[in-house]
Amino acid sequence: MRVTFCCTDTKAQPWLEGLKAALPGAEIEGWKPGAPAADYAVVWAPPQQFLDEQKQLKGIFNIGAGVDALTKLRLPAGVPLVRLDDAGMSVQMAEYVCHAVIRHFREFDAYEADVAAGKWSYRKPSTRSDFPVGVMGLGVLGTRVAQALRQFDFPVQGWSRSAKTVAGVQCFSGDAGFQDFLSATRILVCLLPLTPDTENIMRRDTLQKLRPGGYVVNVARGGHLVDEDLIALIDSGHLAGATLDVFRTEPLPPAHPFWNHSKITLTPHTSARTLRDESIAQIAGKIRALSSGTPFASLAGLVDLKKGY
Ligand code: NDP
Ligand code: OXD
């Protein structure tokens, strides 16, 4: 069996060594133009040329949860695409989002500024029931995040495409549930995949529906958020601020107004990192299962290309 590795912005050597150890007997090589035809591919944001040359693949494994960098390309017809299914990301995402929500709710930014100015001062505690959190996307990551937020007794609601039940979380679904979801939300967390249906979903008219003092946590993709609308709504006082991990252009261009906005906290697309060992174990396990006859349809993380995630 031959496995080809084509991951942009990724140090190939440790992945190749890990994959070789996990799949003894397989030929595993980094892709170069003109490389021999492989059975499986392990990819992250590959160039179109890679997909055009490797049309015979039996399956493509993405070393991330989001597949938007692939669905915007011409994929070889009929080749199944499998994304990471958690692989250690959901606990990181829960940490990140709980941290962002709690930092905002407990006004830790203001306390840090006071301490830096040598001030010993108290703020009136906020009331938790005034800070309902709405999680858009109740998949692998969103569900874990919603459950983690419940552990801190925040009122939590979630929104997904199909109807869901998550203990302690008020669930809304589809277009019919979207407006009620937004108007019940004060802190909005985005954990949707980027698809034509979800692109620009956080824009002026949707963000205006949040409860007064709304706050945005975007940990999904930059394309979900209309940057100028967010800034205008924060500057007008309708929104209290945002924590952003993902951007339309990454790295965030030096002149982008997010960099210096006092009410926006930025991180460099790091909320849930791909963990190499976990990811190799998951991908190799799936390749072994396929080799022993398991059908693609029963693999967790199989992408539905019609839905785009
Ligand atoms: P899943 O596919 O497990 O979950 C996606 C969720 O979004 C599902 O609940 C789905 O609904 C819902 N959804 C999709 N389209 C719509 C729609 N049109 N309307 C309403 N709900 C919709 O994905 P993951 O949880 O694994 O990952 C989510 C995203 O997080 C990834 O696509 C990626 O972009 C981002 N991500 C970011 C990282 C970072 O470091 N910043 C790291 C990892 C992922 P349904 O359940 O009904 O299908
Ligand atoms: C992912 C990501 O999709 O890292 O996994 O953003």
Side-chain angles (χ1 to χ4, degrees), residues 64-68 83-86 89 93 136-143 159-164 172-175 178 190-198 201 218-221 224 245-246 250 269-274 307-309:
V67 291
D68 45 292
R83 68 189 188 86
L84 286 183
D85 173 50
D86 196 333
M89 284 192 280
M93 205 50 109
M136 291 198 288
L138 283 177
V140 175
L141 304 182
T143 299
W159 181 66
S160 50
R161 186 175 162 122
S162 57
K164 297 262 181 293
F172 298 84
S173 59
D175 291 347
F178 192 44
C190 182
L191 268 167
L192 292 165
L194 185 63
T195 67
D197 289 339
T198 65
I201 194 162
N218 189 15
V219 278
R221 288 291 184 262
H224 288 122
D245 184 51
V246 286
E250 296 181 1
H269 198 141
T270 197
S271 51
R273 302 289 292 272
T274 291
K307 289 196 215 157
Y309 65 95

Side-chain angles (χ1 to χ4, degrees), residues 4-288:
T4 184
F5 181 87
C6 182
C7 295
T8 307
D9 296 334
T10 307
K11 218 166 146 194
Q13 203 51 33
W15 281 89
L16 294 172
E17 284 165 14
L19 285 164
K20 280 179 189 160
L23 293 169
E27 280 183 64
I28 298 170
E29 278 163 8
W31 177 80
K32 293 192 203 70
D39 299 294
Y40 296 106
V42 176
V43 305
W44 179 253
Q48 182 64 54
Q49 186 184 357
F50 169 82
L51 298 168
D52 290 344
E53 284 189 14
Q54 294 281 329
K55 289 205 166 79
Q56 76 302 321
L57 287 166
K58 293 181 191 152
I60 300 176
F61 290 88
N62 185 49
I63 64 163
V67 291
D68 45 292
L70 281 160
T71 52
K72 71 180 186 202
L73 300 175
R74 258 187 333 277
L75 289 166
V79 179
L81 172 59
V82 183
R83 68 189 188 86
L84 286 183
D85 173 50
D86 196 333
M89 284 192 280
S90 73
V91 65
Q92 298 177 67
M93 205 50 109
E95 284 164 354
Y96 183 100
V97 174
C98 288
H99 177 270
V101 168
I102 292 168
R103 183 182 171 116
H104 175 59
F105 171 66
R106 295 290 303 271
E107 302 186 75
F108 287 141
D109 280 353
Y111 277 112
E112 277 166 25
D114 284 351
V115 168
K119 271 202 276 175
W120 180 277
S121 58
Y122 290 104
R123 296 169 175 270
K124 186 170 174 285
S126 303
T127 304
R128 208 168 294 262
S129 55
D130 290 340
F131 283 78
V133 186
V135 181
M136 291 198 288
L138 283 177
V140 175
L141 304 182
T143 299
R144 176 89 183 240
V145 164
Q147 287 168 331
L149 289 162
R150 281 299 299 140
Q151 293 299 308
F152 292 100
D153 290 350
F154 287 103
V156 180
Q157 52 257 349
W159 181 66
S160 50
R161 186 175 162 122
S162 57
K164 297 262 181 293
T165 309
V166 181
V169 175
Q170 192 186 4
C171 294
F172 298 84
S173 59
D175 291 347
F178 192 44
Q179 302 305 323
D180 289 345
F181 165 80
L182 288 175
S183 52
T185 293
R186 177 155 175 185
I187 302 182
L188 181 66
V189 177
C190 182
L191 268 167
L192 292 165
L194 185 63
T195 67
D197 289 339
T198 65
E199 193 171 7
N200 300 329
I201 194 162
M202 291 182 285
R203 53 179 185 268
R204 183 177 285 275
D205 65 308
T206 52
L207 295 176
Q208 270 173 336
K209 303 253 164 48
L210 298 178
R211 289 197 180 182
Y215 193 85
V216 170
V217 180
N218 189 15
V219 278
R221 288 291 184 262
H224 288 122
L225 176 68
V226 179
D227 299 357
E228 315 76 80
D229 290 359
L230 177 78
I231 290 175
L233 289 169
I234 294 176
D235 290 348
S236 73
H238 181 79
L239 295 179
T243 294
L244 307 176
D245 184 51
V246 286
F247 306 93
R248 283 177 185 266
T249 305
E250 296 181 1
L252 185 64
H256 197 289
F258 285 164
W259 280 108
N260 295 315
H261 200 293
S262 62
K263 296 194 171 149
I264 297 179
T265 300
L266 306 181
T267 50
H269 198 141
T270 197
S271 51
R273 302 289 292 272
T274 291
L275 302 178
R276 192 168 54 229
D277 292 350
E278 284 84 341
S279 306
I280 288 172
Q282 185 174 111
I283 293 168
K286 287 177 182 173
I287 292 178
R288 279 195 299 270

